[in-house]
Amino acid sequence: MPELPEVETVRRTLADRVRGCTVSGVIVRRRDVIVTPDDPAGGFSRQRRTPAERGTRDERRIRRSRSPRRVEKSDLLLDDQISDIRRHGKQLALVGESGRCVLIHLGMTGEVMAPGPGQRLRAADHLHVLWTLRQPGGDSAGRMVFRDPRRFGGIWTLPTPQALADRWAQLGPDGLTITGEGLARGAGRSRRAVKAALLDQRTVAGVGNIYADESLFRSGIAPQRLASGLSASDWERLAGAIREILSQAVELRGSTLRDYRDAGGLPGDATSLHQVYGRSGRSCNRCETPLSDELVAQRTTVWCPRCQPAENG
DNA sequence: CGTGGCCCCTGTGGGC
DNA sequence: TGCCCACAGGGGCCAC
């Protein structure tokens, strides 16, 4: 679901609602969406099984419902104050006054909502973690919830801001400030398609399938071109296009295709910026050539064969 | 080592 | 109406 503009919009709307609040209760409904530092392999490590071992959906659900270890609720900021909400790329972090950090990754369908007192949630299923919040004065501030139907997202508990910084240092520069040199440093020698390199969060943090296609269109670069074949001026144009589309999409509060909502439940309007994503077969807004689509890096990719020529535009 | 392919999940929309 | 299939905004892991 969310790329950088959507996560930044969640960050802002969430900060408005929960910054300064104290956590007076934590409910963990699904232990397996949470990864603590002592979990083996740092989470996300799911065993490889044959279809027979995997069983039916119901069997898997029952297996997972018996979660192994308890989570220390203080690691999820119980009795702590939420002093800051940060973002790098597509990742969000609640920073407690104690220094503890809760890193949230929304994956494809994750959302963080903070309904005020009395405000209803849009959906009551797939709520994996719930926090109860109080204002500094002690009044109720409602709740904050993590919901994620597909569970490609997750929550990592980290002991210190330094541990958070260490994690984020493994990602590339944030998309809002990416430079041509930054892109070239991360992907200039890669023999992958340039789109695959953009989707790799070590190249640039925050670009996903929508904004990869949109930034390639804006810079006139075909998604299939080998990253190592791009010139310095190609990287420069591409970086400029990434900064531009991302910041414009933030202004419009993100792209709501179907599920995405900000922390207050509001959809965003950034789909109005889309020139190629979701428009395969329709005509290019710039030159009227029908837009093409093809799988690149296992993701549906849409581009204009005329505005984005296969070799050096 | 870098890379492509497969997998993790649930929900939805289209075709029959 | 119901069934089956393809597809969806992400990314980890493994065999090459």
Short mmCIF file of all heavy atoms in Angstrom, two decimals, chain A residues 10-75:
data_model
loop_
_atom_site.label_atom_id
_atom_site.label_comp_id
_atom_site.label_asym_id
_atom_site.label_seq_id
_atom_site.Cartn_x
_atom_site.Cartn_y
_atom_site.Cartn_z
N VAL A 10 0.98 9.66 6.94
CA VAL A 10 0.62 9.00 8.19
C VAL A 10 1.43 9.60 9.34
O VAL A 10 0.90 9.89 10.41
CB VAL A 10 0.86 7.47 8.11
CG1 VAL A 10 0.71 6.83 9.48
CG2 VAL A 10 -0.10 6.83 7.12
N ARG A 11 2.73 9.81 9.08
CA ARG A 11 3.57 10.39 10.14
C ARG A 11 3.00 11.72 10.63
O ARG A 11 2.85 11.94 11.83
CB ARG A 11 5.00 10.59 9.64
CG ARG A 11 5.98 10.98 10.74
CD ARG A 11 7.29 11.50 10.20
NE ARG A 11 7.14 12.80 9.55
CZ ARG A 11 6.98 13.95 10.20
NH1 ARG A 11 6.99 13.97 11.52
NH2 ARG A 11 6.81 15.07 9.53
N ARG A 12 2.68 12.59 9.69
CA ARG A 12 2.19 13.92 10.07
C ARG A 12 0.85 13.85 10.80
O ARG A 12 0.66 14.51 11.83
CB ARG A 12 2.02 14.79 8.82
CG ARG A 12 3.35 15.12 8.17
CD ARG A 12 3.14 15.95 6.93
NE ARG A 12 4.44 16.21 6.28
CZ ARG A 12 4.59 17.00 5.22
NH1 ARG A 12 3.55 17.63 4.69
NH2 ARG A 12 5.79 17.17 4.70
N THR A 13 -0.07 13.08 10.26
CA THR A 13 -1.40 13.03 10.88
C THR A 13 -1.36 12.30 12.22
O THR A 13 -2.10 12.63 13.14
CB THR A 13 -2.42 12.37 9.94
OG1 THR A 13 -1.92 11.10 9.50
CG2 THR A 13 -2.68 13.23 8.73
N LEU A 14 -0.44 11.33 12.31
CA LEU A 14 -0.29 10.62 13.58
C LEU A 14 0.34 11.52 14.63
O LEU A 14 -0.11 11.56 15.79
CB LEU A 14 0.58 9.38 13.34
CG LEU A 14 0.63 8.33 14.44
CD1 LEU A 14 -0.75 7.78 14.72
CD2 LEU A 14 1.58 7.20 14.03
N ALA A 15 1.33 12.28 14.21
CA ALA A 15 2.00 13.19 15.15
C ALA A 15 1.00 14.19 15.73
O ALA A 15 1.00 14.46 16.93
CB ALA A 15 3.14 13.92 14.45
N ASP A 16 0.11 14.72 14.88
CA ASP A 16 -0.90 15.66 15.36
C ASP A 16 -1.73 15.05 16.48
O ASP A 16 -2.18 15.75 17.38
CB ASP A 16 -1.86 16.03 14.22
CG ASP A 16 -1.20 16.96 13.21
OD1 ASP A 16 -0.14 17.51 13.54
OD2 ASP A 16 -1.76 17.10 12.10
N ARG A 17 -1.96 13.74 16.39
CA ARG A 17 -2.88 13.11 17.31
C ARG A 17 -2.22 12.51 18.55
O ARG A 17 -2.84 12.46 19.60
CB ARG A 17 -3.67 12.01 16.58
CG ARG A 17 -4.70 12.58 15.65
CD ARG A 17 -5.16 11.61 14.61
NE ARG A 17 -6.18 12.23 13.77
CZ ARG A 17 -7.48 12.01 13.90
NH1 ARG A 17 -7.93 11.17 14.80
NH2 ARG A 17 -8.34 12.63 13.12
N VAL A 18 -0.99 12.03 18.40
CA VAL A 18 -0.44 11.26 19.53
C VAL A 18 0.85 11.80 20.14
O VAL A 18 1.28 11.33 21.18
CB VAL A 18 -0.22 9.77 19.15
CG1 VAL A 18 -1.47 9.19 18.51
CG2 VAL A 18 0.99 9.59 18.26
N ARG A 19 1.47 12.78 19.51
CA ARG A 19 2.72 13.28 20.09
C ARG A 19 2.44 13.90 21.45
O ARG A 19 1.48 14.67 21.60
CB ARG A 19 3.39 14.31 19.18
CG ARG A 19 4.76 14.71 19.70
CD ARG A 19 5.37 15.83 18.88
NE ARG A 19 6.02 15.34 17.68
CZ ARG A 19 5.93 15.95 16.49
NH1 ARG A 19 5.21 17.03 16.35
NH2 ARG A 19 6.54 15.44 15.45
N GLY A 20 3.25 13.54 22.41
CA GLY A 20 3.06 14.05 23.76
C GLY A 20 2.16 13.21 24.62
O GLY A 20 2.09 13.40 25.83
N CYS A 21 1.46 12.26 24.00
CA CYS A 21 0.57 11.40 24.77
C CYS A 21 1.34 10.33 25.53
O CYS A 21 2.44 9.94 25.15
CB CYS A 21 -0.45 10.72 23.86
SG CYS A 21 -1.70 11.84 23.22
N THR A 22 0.71 9.86 26.62
CA THR A 22 1.28 8.76 27.38
C THR A 22 0.52 7.47 27.06
O THR A 22 -0.69 7.50 26.88
CB THR A 22 1.15 9.06 28.89
OG1 THR A 22 1.90 10.24 29.19
CG2 THR A 22 1.70 7.90 29.73
N VAL A 23 1.25 6.39 26.97
CA VAL A 23 0.62 5.10 26.67
C VAL A 23 0.17 4.45 27.97
O VAL A 23 1.00 4.12 28.83
CB VAL A 23 1.61 4.17 25.93
CG1 VAL A 23 0.98 2.81 25.70
CG2 VAL A 23 2.04 4.80 24.61
N SER A 24 -1.13 4.29 28.14
CA SER A 24 -1.62 3.72 29.40
C SER A 24 -2.06 2.27 29.25
O SER A 24 -2.40 1.62 30.23
CB SER A 24 -2.79 4.57 29.92
OG SER A 24 -3.83 4.59 28.97
N GLY A 25 -2.04 1.77 28.03
CA GLY A 25 -2.40 0.36 27.83
C GLY A 25 -1.91 -0.13 26.48
O GLY A 25 -1.85 0.63 25.52
N VAL A 26 -1.54 -1.41 26.44
CA VAL A 26 -1.11 -2.03 25.18
C VAL A 26 -1.76 -3.41 25.08
O VAL A 26 -1.71 -4.19 26.02
CB VAL A 26 0.42 -2.19 25.10
CG1 VAL A 26 0.81 -2.93 23.82
CG2 VAL A 26 1.13 -0.85 25.17
N ILE A 27 -2.38 -3.67 23.95
CA ILE A 27 -2.93 -5.00 23.71
C ILE A 27 -2.28 -5.58 22.47
O ILE A 27 -2.30 -4.95 21.40
CB ILE A 27 -4.47 -4.94 23.50
CG1 ILE A 27 -5.15 -4.41 24.76
CG2 ILE A 27 -5.01 -6.33 23.14
CD1 ILE A 27 -6.61 -4.08 24.54
N VAL A 28 -1.69 -6.76 22.62
CA VAL A 28 -1.09 -7.45 21.48
C VAL A 28 -1.99 -8.62 21.11
O VAL A 28 -2.12 -9.56 21.88
CB VAL A 28 0.33 -7.95 21.81
CG1 VAL A 28 0.89 -8.76 20.64
CG2 VAL A 28 1.24 -6.79 22.15
N ARG A 29 -2.60 -8.53 19.96
CA ARG A 29 -3.49 -9.62 19.54
C ARG A 29 -2.73 -10.67 18.76
O ARG A 29 -3.10 -11.83 18.73
CB ARG A 29 -4.62 -9.06 18.67
CG ARG A 29 -5.57 -8.17 19.45
CD ARG A 29 -6.99 -8.43 19.01
NE ARG A 29 -7.92 -7.53 19.66
CZ ARG A 29 -8.82 -6.82 18.99
NH1 ARG A 29 -8.90 -6.89 17.67
NH2 ARG A 29 -9.64 -6.04 19.65
N ARG A 30 -1.72 -10.25 18.05
CA ARG A 30 -0.91 -11.17 17.26
C ARG A 30 0.55 -10.95 17.58
O ARG A 30 1.16 -9.99 17.12
CB ARG A 30 -1.12 -10.94 15.77
CG ARG A 30 -2.44 -11.39 15.20
CD ARG A 30 -2.29 -11.53 13.71
NE ARG A 30 -1.46 -12.66 13.42
CZ ARG A 30 -1.93 -13.82 12.97
NH1 ARG A 30 -3.19 -13.96 12.71
NH2 ARG A 30 -1.12 -14.81 12.76
N ARG A 31 1.13 -11.86 18.31
CA ARG A 31 2.53 -11.73 18.66
C ARG A 31 3.42 -11.75 17.43
O ARG A 31 4.47 -11.11 17.37
CB ARG A 31 2.90 -12.88 19.61
CG ARG A 31 4.37 -13.08 19.88
CD ARG A 31 4.96 -11.88 20.63
NE ARG A 31 6.35 -12.14 21.00
CZ ARG A 31 7.39 -11.92 20.22
NH1 ARG A 31 7.20 -11.43 19.01
NH2 ARG A 31 8.62 -12.16 20.64
N ASP A 32 3.01 -12.48 16.38
CA ASP A 32 3.94 -12.71 15.27
C ASP A 32 4.09 -11.54 14.31
O ASP A 32 4.83 -11.64 13.35
CB ASP A 32 3.58 -14.00 14.51
CG ASP A 32 2.19 -13.95 13.89
OD1 ASP A 32 1.48 -12.94 14.12
OD2 ASP A 32 1.82 -14.89 13.19
N VAL A 33 3.40 -10.42 14.56
CA VAL A 33 3.71 -9.25 13.74
C VAL A 33 4.82 -8.41 14.39
O VAL A 33 5.27 -7.43 13.83
CB VAL A 33 2.48 -8.33 13.50
CG1 VAL A 33 1.34 -9.10 12.85
CG2 VAL A 33 2.02 -7.67 14.78
N ILE A 34 5.22 -8.83 15.60
CA ILE A 34 6.22 -8.05 16.34
C ILE A 34 7.54 -8.79 16.38
O ILE A 34 7.59 -10.00 16.62
CB ILE A 34 5.73 -7.80 17.77
CG1 ILE A 34 4.42 -7.01 17.73
CG2 ILE A 34 6.78 -7.04 18.58
CD1 ILE A 34 3.75 -6.90 19.07
N VAL A 35 8.60 -8.07 16.15
CA VAL A 35 9.94 -8.64 16.22
C VAL A 35 10.72 -7.91 17.30
O VAL A 35 10.81 -6.68 17.28
CB VAL A 35 10.68 -8.49 14.87
CG1 VAL A 35 12.07 -9.11 14.97
CG2 VAL A 35 9.88 -9.13 13.75
N THR A 36 11.24 -8.66 18.27
CA THR A 36 12.04 -8.06 19.32
C THR A 36 13.51 -8.43 19.07
O THR A 36 13.80 -9.35 18.32
CB THR A 36 11.61 -8.58 20.70
OG1 THR A 36 11.68 -10.01 20.69
CG2 THR A 36 10.18 -8.18 21.01
N PRO A 37 14.43 -7.67 19.68
CA PRO A 37 15.84 -7.90 19.38
C PRO A 37 16.29 -9.35 19.66
O PRO A 37 17.21 -9.84 19.01
CB PRO A 37 16.57 -6.92 20.31
CG PRO A 37 15.58 -5.83 20.54
CD PRO A 37 14.23 -6.51 20.56
N ASP A 38 15.63 -10.03 20.59
CA ASP A 38 16.07 -11.39 20.91
C ASP A 38 15.40 -12.45 20.04
O ASP A 38 15.64 -13.63 20.20
CB ASP A 38 15.80 -11.68 22.39
CG ASP A 38 14.33 -11.43 22.75
OD1 ASP A 38 13.80 -10.40 22.31
OD2 ASP A 38 13.74 -12.25 23.46
N ASP A 39 14.53 -12.03 19.10
CA ASP A 39 13.95 -13.01 18.19
C ASP A 39 15.03 -13.51 17.23
O ASP A 39 15.84 -12.73 16.74
CB ASP A 39 12.81 -12.38 17.37
CG ASP A 39 11.54 -12.25 18.19
OD1 ASP A 39 11.35 -13.07 19.10
OD2 ASP A 39 10.75 -11.33 17.93
N PRO A 40 15.03 -14.80 16.97
CA PRO A 40 16.03 -15.34 16.07
C PRO A 40 15.87 -14.78 14.65
O PRO A 40 14.76 -14.53 14.20
CB PRO A 40 15.76 -16.85 16.08
CG PRO A 40 14.35 -16.98 16.54
CD PRO A 40 14.10 -15.81 17.45
N ALA A 41 16.96 -14.53 14.01
CA ALA A 41 16.99 -14.12 12.60
C ALA A 41 16.32 -12.77 12.34
O ALA A 41 16.07 -12.41 11.20
CB ALA A 41 16.37 -15.18 11.70
N GLY A 42 16.05 -12.03 13.42
CA GLY A 42 15.53 -10.69 13.23
C GLY A 42 14.16 -10.61 12.60
O GLY A 42 13.79 -9.61 12.02
N GLY A 43 13.39 -11.65 12.70
CA GLY A 43 12.03 -11.62 12.19
C GLY A 43 11.94 -11.78 10.69
O GLY A 43 12.94 -11.97 10.01
N PHE A 44 10.75 -11.74 10.16
CA PHE A 44 10.50 -11.92 8.75
C PHE A 44 11.01 -13.25 8.25
O PHE A 44 10.90 -13.58 7.08
CB PHE A 44 11.14 -10.81 7.91
CG PHE A 44 10.16 -9.75 7.51
CD1 PHE A 44 10.52 -8.43 7.52
CD2 PHE A 44 8.88 -10.08 7.11
CE1 PHE A 44 9.62 -7.43 7.15
CE2 PHE A 44 7.98 -9.10 6.73
CZ PHE A 44 8.35 -7.77 6.76
N SER A 45 11.67 -14.01 9.14
CA SER A 45 12.23 -15.28 8.67
C SER A 45 11.17 -16.34 8.85
O SER A 45 10.92 -16.81 9.94
CB SER A 45 13.46 -15.64 9.47
OG SER A 45 13.11 -15.88 10.80
N ARG A 46 10.53 -16.68 7.78
CA ARG A 46 9.53 -17.73 7.86
C ARG A 46 10.10 -18.96 7.18
O ARG A 46 10.72 -18.87 6.14
CB ARG A 46 8.24 -17.28 7.17
CG ARG A 46 7.47 -16.31 8.06
CD ARG A 46 6.68 -15.36 7.22
NE ARG A 46 5.86 -14.50 8.08
CZ ARG A 46 5.46 -13.29 7.72
NH1 ARG A 46 5.80 -12.80 6.56
NH2 ARG A 46 4.73 -12.57 8.52
N GLN A 47 9.84 -20.07 7.82
CA GLN A 47 10.39 -21.31 7.27
C GLN A 47 9.85 -21.60 5.89
O GLN A 47 8.70 -21.33 5.59
CB GLN A 47 10.07 -22.47 8.21
CG GLN A 47 10.88 -22.45 9.47
CD GLN A 47 10.48 -23.59 10.36
OE1 GLN A 47 9.30 -23.82 10.58
NE2 GLN A 47 11.46 -24.30 10.88
N ARG A 48 10.68 -22.19 5.10
CA ARG A 48 10.25 -22.64 3.79
C ARG A 48 9.60 -24.00 3.95
O ARG A 48 10.19 -24.91 4.50
CB ARG A 48 11.47 -22.76 2.88
CG ARG A 48 11.30 -22.16 1.53
CD ARG A 48 12.59 -22.31 0.75
NE ARG A 48 12.40 -21.85 -0.60
CZ ARG A 48 12.29 -20.57 -0.92
NH1 ARG A 48 12.38 -19.66 0.01
NH2 ARG A 48 12.11 -20.21 -2.17
N ARG A 49 8.38 -24.13 3.45
CA ARG A 49 7.68 -25.41 3.58
C ARG A 49 7.12 -25.83 2.23
O ARG A 49 6.84 -24.99 1.38
CB ARG A 49 6.51 -25.29 4.56
CG ARG A 49 6.87 -24.89 5.97
CD ARG A 49 5.58 -24.68 6.75
NE ARG A 49 5.79 -24.00 8.01
CZ ARG A 49 5.92 -24.63 9.18
NH1 ARG A 49 5.90 -25.94 9.24
NH2 ARG A 49 6.08 -23.93 10.28
N THR A 50 6.93 -27.12 2.09
CA THR A 50 6.23 -27.61 0.90
C THR A 50 4.74 -27.31 1.09
O THR A 50 4.30 -27.07 2.21
CB THR A 50 6.40 -29.13 0.75
OG1 THR A 50 5.73 -29.76 1.84
CG2 THR A 50 7.86 -29.54 0.76
N PRO A 51 3.99 -27.29 0.01
CA PRO A 51 2.54 -27.02 0.14
C PRO A 51 1.87 -27.96 1.14
O PRO A 51 0.98 -27.54 1.90
CB PRO A 51 2.02 -27.26 -1.28
CG PRO A 51 3.16 -26.95 -2.15
CD PRO A 51 4.39 -27.38 -1.39
N ALA A 52 2.30 -29.23 1.19
CA ALA A 52 1.69 -30.17 2.13
C ALA A 52 2.00 -29.79 3.57
O ALA A 52 1.12 -29.83 4.43
CB ALA A 52 2.20 -31.58 1.85
N GLU A 53 3.25 -29.40 3.83
CA GLU A 53 3.62 -28.98 5.19
C GLU A 53 2.90 -27.70 5.59
O GLU A 53 2.60 -27.49 6.74
CB GLU A 53 5.13 -28.74 5.26
CG GLU A 53 5.97 -29.97 5.17
CD GLU A 53 7.44 -29.63 4.99
OE1 GLU A 53 7.76 -28.63 4.31
OE2 GLU A 53 8.26 -30.37 5.52
N ARG A 54 2.64 -26.86 4.60
CA ARG A 54 2.05 -25.57 4.87
C ARG A 54 0.61 -25.72 5.35
O ARG A 54 0.17 -24.99 6.21
CB ARG A 54 2.09 -24.71 3.60
CG ARG A 54 2.30 -23.25 3.86
CD ARG A 54 2.42 -22.49 2.55
NE ARG A 54 3.61 -22.85 1.81
CZ ARG A 54 3.65 -23.07 0.50
NH1 ARG A 54 2.56 -22.97 -0.21
NH2 ARG A 54 4.78 -23.39 -0.09
N GLY A 55 -0.11 -26.65 4.76
CA GLY A 55 -1.49 -26.89 5.18
C GLY A 55 -2.45 -25.86 4.62
O GLY A 55 -2.08 -25.03 3.80
N THR A 56 -3.66 -25.90 5.09
CA THR A 56 -4.68 -24.98 4.61
C THR A 56 -4.56 -23.64 5.33
O THR A 56 -3.82 -23.49 6.30
CB THR A 56 -6.09 -25.53 4.91
OG1 THR A 56 -6.25 -25.56 6.34
CG2 THR A 56 -6.26 -26.91 4.35
N ARG A 57 -5.30 -22.66 4.85
CA ARG A 57 -5.28 -21.36 5.49
C ARG A 57 -5.65 -21.46 6.96
O ARG A 57 -5.03 -20.86 7.81
CB ARG A 57 -6.30 -20.43 4.80
CG ARG A 57 -5.72 -19.67 3.65
CD ARG A 57 -6.70 -18.67 3.13
NE ARG A 57 -6.21 -18.18 1.84
CZ ARG A 57 -6.73 -17.16 1.17
NH1 ARG A 57 -7.76 -16.52 1.67
NH2 ARG A 57 -6.23 -16.78 0.03
N ASP A 58 -6.70 -22.25 7.23
CA ASP A 58 -7.14 -22.37 8.62
C ASP A 58 -6.08 -23.01 9.50
O ASP A 58 -5.85 -22.58 10.63
CB ASP A 58 -8.43 -23.21 8.68
CG ASP A 58 -9.65 -22.33 8.43
OD1 ASP A 58 -9.47 -21.10 8.30
OD2 ASP A 58 -10.76 -22.87 8.35
N GLU A 59 -5.43 -24.06 8.96
CA GLU A 59 -4.38 -24.72 9.75
C GLU A 59 -3.24 -23.75 10.07
O GLU A 59 -2.71 -23.74 11.17
CB GLU A 59 -3.85 -25.95 8.99
CG GLU A 59 -4.83 -27.11 9.01
CD GLU A 59 -4.49 -28.17 7.96
OE1 GLU A 59 -3.65 -27.90 7.09
OE2 GLU A 59 -5.08 -29.25 8.04
N ARG A 60 -2.89 -22.93 9.08
CA ARG A 60 -1.83 -21.95 9.32
C ARG A 60 -2.25 -20.93 10.37
O ARG A 60 -1.48 -20.55 11.24
CB ARG A 60 -1.49 -21.21 8.02
CG ARG A 60 -0.50 -21.96 7.16
CD ARG A 60 -0.28 -21.25 5.87
NE ARG A 60 -1.35 -21.56 4.90
CZ ARG A 60 -1.58 -20.84 3.82
NH1 ARG A 60 -0.87 -19.79 3.57
NH2 ARG A 60 -2.54 -21.20 3.00
N ARG A 61 -3.52 -20.53 10.28
CA ARG A 61 -4.01 -19.53 11.25
C ARG A 61 -3.93 -20.07 12.67
O ARG A 61 -3.50 -19.40 13.59
CB ARG A 61 -5.46 -19.17 10.91
CG ARG A 61 -6.04 -18.08 11.78
CD ARG A 61 -7.43 -17.69 11.29
NE ARG A 61 -8.30 -18.84 11.10
CZ ARG A 61 -8.87 -19.52 12.10
NH1 ARG A 61 -8.65 -19.18 13.35
NH2 ARG A 61 -9.66 -20.55 11.85
N ILE A 62 -4.32 -21.33 12.83
CA ILE A 62 -4.29 -21.93 14.16
C ILE A 62 -2.86 -22.08 14.66
O ILE A 62 -2.56 -21.77 15.82
CB ILE A 62 -5.00 -23.31 14.13
CG1 ILE A 62 -6.50 -23.10 13.91
CG2 ILE A 62 -4.74 -24.08 15.41
CD1 ILE A 62 -7.24 -24.34 13.47
N ARG A 63 -1.96 -22.49 13.77
CA ARG A 63 -0.55 -22.63 14.17
C ARG A 63 0.01 -21.31 14.69
O ARG A 63 0.65 -21.24 15.71
CB ARG A 63 0.28 -23.10 12.97
CG ARG A 63 0.80 -24.51 13.10
CD ARG A 63 1.97 -24.81 12.19
NE ARG A 63 2.04 -24.07 10.95
CZ ARG A 63 1.57 -24.49 9.78
NH1 ARG A 63 0.97 -25.66 9.68
NH2 ARG A 63 1.72 -23.75 8.70
N ARG A 64 -0.28 -20.24 13.92
CA ARG A 64 0.30 -18.95 14.28
C ARG A 64 -0.32 -18.36 15.53
O ARG A 64 0.30 -17.54 16.20
CB ARG A 64 0.13 -17.97 13.12
CG ARG A 64 1.24 -18.06 12.11
CD ARG A 64 1.10 -16.90 11.17
NE ARG A 64 -0.27 -16.80 10.72
CZ ARG A 64 -0.73 -17.35 9.59
NH1 ARG A 64 0.09 -18.02 8.83
NH2 ARG A 64 -1.98 -17.22 9.25
N SER A 65 -1.55 -18.74 15.83
CA SER A 65 -2.22 -18.13 16.97
C SER A 65 -1.55 -18.53 18.29
O SER A 65 -1.73 -17.89 19.30
CB SER A 65 -3.69 -18.52 16.98
OG SER A 65 -3.82 -19.90 17.26
N ARG A 66 -0.78 -19.61 18.26
CA ARG A 66 -0.01 -19.97 19.46
C ARG A 66 1.36 -19.32 19.36
O ARG A 66 2.32 -19.93 18.93
CB ARG A 66 0.12 -21.48 19.58
CG ARG A 66 -1.21 -22.14 19.81
CD ARG A 66 -1.02 -23.63 19.96
NE ARG A 66 -1.87 -24.33 19.00
CZ ARG A 66 -1.47 -25.31 18.20
NH1 ARG A 66 -0.23 -25.71 18.24
NH2 ARG A 66 -2.28 -25.88 17.38
N SER A 67 1.43 -18.07 19.72
CA SER A 67 2.68 -17.34 19.57
C SER A 67 3.63 -17.72 20.68
O SER A 67 3.22 -17.86 21.84
CB SER A 67 2.41 -15.85 19.59
OG SER A 67 1.55 -15.51 18.54
N PRO A 68 4.89 -17.87 20.38
CA PRO A 68 5.84 -18.42 21.32
C PRO A 68 6.13 -17.56 22.55
O PRO A 68 5.85 -17.95 23.67
CB PRO A 68 7.11 -18.59 20.48
CG PRO A 68 6.96 -17.66 19.34
CD PRO A 68 5.49 -17.56 19.07
N ARG A 69 6.66 -16.38 22.34
CA ARG A 69 7.14 -15.61 23.48
C ARG A 69 6.26 -14.41 23.72
O ARG A 69 5.65 -13.89 22.82
CB ARG A 69 8.56 -15.12 23.18
CG ARG A 69 9.61 -15.62 24.14
CD ARG A 69 10.86 -14.80 23.97
NE ARG A 69 11.23 -14.67 22.56
CZ ARG A 69 12.06 -15.51 21.94
NH1 ARG A 69 12.59 -16.51 22.58
NH2 ARG A 69 12.35 -15.33 20.67
N ARG A 70 6.23 -13.97 24.94
CA ARG A 70 5.52 -12.73 25.24
C ARG A 70 6.36 -11.54 24.85
O ARG A 70 7.58 -11.61 24.83
CB ARG A 70 5.23 -12.65 26.74
CG ARG A 70 4.09 -13.53 27.21
CD ARG A 70 3.87 -13.36 28.71
NE ARG A 70 3.62 -11.97 29.08
CZ ARG A 70 2.43 -11.37 28.94
NH1 ARG A 70 1.41 -12.06 28.45
NH2 ARG A 70 2.25 -10.12 29.30
N VAL A 71 5.69 -10.44 24.55
CA VAL A 71 6.40 -9.19 24.30
C VAL A 71 6.37 -8.38 25.59
O VAL A 71 5.33 -8.31 26.24
CB VAL A 71 5.70 -8.37 23.20
CG1 VAL A 71 6.53 -7.18 22.81
CG2 VAL A 71 5.41 -9.24 22.01
N GLU A 72 7.49 -7.80 25.95
CA GLU A 72 7.49 -6.87 27.07
C GLU A 72 6.73 -5.62 26.64
O GLU A 72 7.13 -4.96 25.67
CB GLU A 72 8.93 -6.49 27.46
CG GLU A 72 9.66 -7.55 28.26
CD GLU A 72 8.91 -7.89 29.55
OE1 GLU A 72 8.33 -6.96 30.17
OE2 GLU A 72 8.89 -9.08 29.90
N LYS A 73 5.68 -5.28 27.36
CA LYS A 73 4.87 -4.16 26.90
C LYS A 73 5.61 -2.82 27.03
O LYS A 73 5.27 -1.87 26.33
CB LYS A 73 3.54 -4.14 27.64
CG LYS A 73 2.67 -5.32 27.18
CD LYS A 73 1.27 -5.26 27.70
CE LYS A 73 0.47 -6.41 27.08
NZ LYS A 73 -0.90 -6.46 27.61
N SER A 74 6.60 -2.77 27.89
CA SER A 74 7.38 -1.53 27.96
C SER A 74 8.13 -1.29 26.65
O SER A 74 8.39 -0.16 26.26
CB SER A 74 8.36 -1.57 29.14
OG SER A 74 9.21 -2.70 29.02
N ASP A 75 8.46 -2.39 25.96
CA ASP A 75 9.11 -2.23 24.65
C ASP A 75 8.16 -1.62 23.63
O ASP A 75 8.59 -1.08 22.61
CB ASP A 75 9.61 -3.58 24.12
CG ASP A 75 10.79 -4.10 24.93
OD1 ASP A 75 11.47 -3.28 25.57
OD2 ASP A 75 11.02 -5.31 24.92
#
